[in-house]
Amino acid sequence: MKGGATELAAKPDVGPDVLHYLAQNGSPVVRAAVAANTAAAAHTNRYLADDEDEDVRAELARKVARLMPGLSERENARVMALTIETLECLARDAAVRVRAILAEEIKLLDCVPKHLVLGLARDVNAIVAVPILQYSPLLSDSDLMEIIACGQVQDVLTAIANRKPVSEAVSDKLVQSLDVPSVAALLVNADANIRKDTMDRIIDQAEERSE
């Protein structure tokens, strides 16, 4: 019976009421199948964002992010609001794994709320912050410079140095951080814009640092 419920929960043509019932009453495996099912209604997705099982929330994070592109064009305001609320809940998830999956899935999207992206970009765990910092089109130069100024860990600075492109202002901030790996990444990034005086500063630093 368990196998049957799991198969039912995974079917794309199952009615939303059935999927919501399974989300409320199914085993963790069944709930995870509902979480991965694109046929689940927005209110079911929101319900599962608070599920006690991390695997269920992880499956939901993979799916909901993929629903975002074009969602506002094909769904009503209530569905959109619930979907945003679901994403916000997942972005605050206590499990680093769930937040990391969400960050990886939304890193290239320009259709998600900026405050959500900023929250992930400032996550204390590099595995969450790095994909957003390296790829998100929603982060401005001001956002990036503020994060650099906060004295972030090496992986975070290197992720910013690997963006395409990197502006002159952001390059200046990275060089001022004196973080050798991020400056090295900046130098090999063909899309990094570096002012002449900033390059001179790098050369001066290089004379004092063997790295």
Side-chain angles (χ1 to χ4, degrees), residues 27-98:
S27 67
V29 174
V30 171
R31 300 197 308 273
V34 175
N37 193 335
T38 56
H43 69 278
T44 301
N45 292 331
R46 178 61 189 88
Y47 177 83
L48 289 172
D50 293 322
D51 196 278
E52 63 182 9
D53 191 278
E54 182 180 318
D55 289 340
V56 173
R57 304 193 310 275
E59 288 294 339
L60 185 66
R62 288 190 184 94
K63 178 190 74 177
V64 175
R66 295 172 187 174
L67 295 176
M68 281 302 297
L71 186 62
S72 59
E73 299 175 3
R74 66 175 185 267
E75 301 289 353
N76 60 41
R78 173 63 176 162
V79 169
M80 188 67 176
L82 278 171
T83 303
I84 295 297
E85 191 177 327
T86 301
L87 285 172
E88 291 171 338
C89 187
L90 294 169
R92 297 189 304 267
D93 199 283
V96 175
R97 174 186 166 217
V98 173

Side-chain angles (χ1 to χ4, degrees), residues 118-177:
L118 278 173
L120 293 172
R122 293 169 177 150
D123 199 284
V124 295
N125 293 273
I127 192 174
V128 179
V130 163
I132 298 294
L133 289 170
Q134 184 168 347
Y135 295 104
S136 178
L138 296 178
L139 297 178
S140 67
D141 283 356
S142 296
D143 298 327
L144 296 169
M145 289 189 288
E146 181 182 335
I147 289 170
I148 294 168
C150 289
Q152 295 292 333
V153 297
Q154 183 182 105
D155 289 347
V156 164
L157 297 178
T158 302
I160 296 174
N162 283 323
R163 285 178 68 87
K164 298 184 183 299
V166 180
S167 72
E168 291 180 342
V170 172
S171 293
D172 289 349
K173 277 291 184 182
L174 284 169
V175 173
Q176 289 169 20
S177 75

